[in-house]
């Protein structure tokens, strides 16, 4: 199973103005850097928690339909199943009827159940593509406050300490950030 990012979030869970206010910055001179740090902090929080924060489009590629009829999805939370297709022996994409698949977004990990007939696969690898929207919601307001706070504090920490930390410590999340993420940590598949 391979998840592929299709589109990034339309906005970050923390705005530049929120970060500037938190850092007590009056100038906008370093907004480009701060924006990059916010994005990097979001990616780190997503990786550490196993949760995608703001809605983004992903494609999940699998080789074949599982015998169990259930696909445990590697992304969480998932809000919408947008499309599914199967590649036949000629390499043509055959759409899967949306009523053939049932998403259980409350399961952890989210589960996609095959509830009706689906097309047969026609190749050995990457035969099935499933497109989803994953995240807590379309706006920053939908993201849990603790996860937003983790992004904000991590971006601010990097901004204030740029160049001061090297080696292993530069890659490790600080304990206070891990504590904010802990309630949302997802078990790995």
């Amino acid at each position: 199973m391979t998840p592929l990012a299709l589109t990034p979030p339309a906005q970050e869970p923390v705005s530049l103005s929120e970060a500037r206010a938190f850092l007590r910055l009056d100038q906008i001179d370093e907004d480009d850097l701060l924006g990059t740090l916010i994005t990097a902090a979001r990616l780190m929080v997503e990786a550490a928690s196993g949760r995608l924060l703001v809605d983004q489009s992903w494609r999940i590629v699998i080789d074949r339909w599982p015998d169990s009829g259930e696909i445990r999805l590697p992304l969480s939370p998932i809000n919408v199943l947008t499309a599914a297709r199967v590649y036949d022996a000629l390499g043509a994409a055959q759409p899967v009827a949306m009523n053939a698949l049932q998403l259980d977004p409350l399961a952890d990990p989210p589960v996609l159940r095959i509830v009706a007939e689906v097309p047969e696969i026609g190749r050995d690898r990457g035969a099935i593509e499933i497109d989803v929207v994953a995240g807590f919601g379309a706006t920053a307001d939908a993201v849990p406050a603790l996860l937003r706070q983790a992004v904000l504090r991590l971006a601010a920490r990097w901004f204030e300490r740029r160049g001061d930390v090297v080696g292993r410590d530069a890659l490790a999340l600080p304990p206070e950030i891990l504590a904010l993420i802990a309630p949302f940590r997802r078990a790995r598949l």
Side-chain angles (χ1 to χ4, degrees), residues 8-9 21 33 41 48 55 65 89 125-126 141-142 145 160 171 182 188:
L33 171 63
D55 283 357
W65 297 113
R125 302 272 183 244
D141 292 339
E160 291 173 336
L171 300 175
R188 301 294 178 202

Side-chain angles (χ1 to χ4, degrees), residues 141-163:
D141 292 339
V143 179
L146 291 177
L147 293 175
R148 291 184 74 239
Q149 190 66 212
V151 171
L152 177 62
R153 288 178 179 270
L154 187 57
R157 180 184 180 96
W158 288 341
F159 184 86
E160 291 173 336
R161 297 181 181 187
R162 52 193 144 162

Side-chain angles (χ1 to χ4, degrees), residues 8-16 18-19 34-46 53-56 137-143 147-148 151-152 155:
Q11 61 180 260
E12 293 297 342
V14 173
S15 69
L16 278 172
E18 288 174 298
L34 192 52
T36 300
L37 293 175
I38 291 168
T39 299
R42 173 186 47 87
L43 291 168
M44 288 288 286
V45 168
E46 287 176 339
L53 302 186
V54 180
D55 283 357
Q56 43 200 283
T139 65
D141 292 339
V143 179
L147 293 175
R148 291 184 74 239
V151 171
L152 177 62

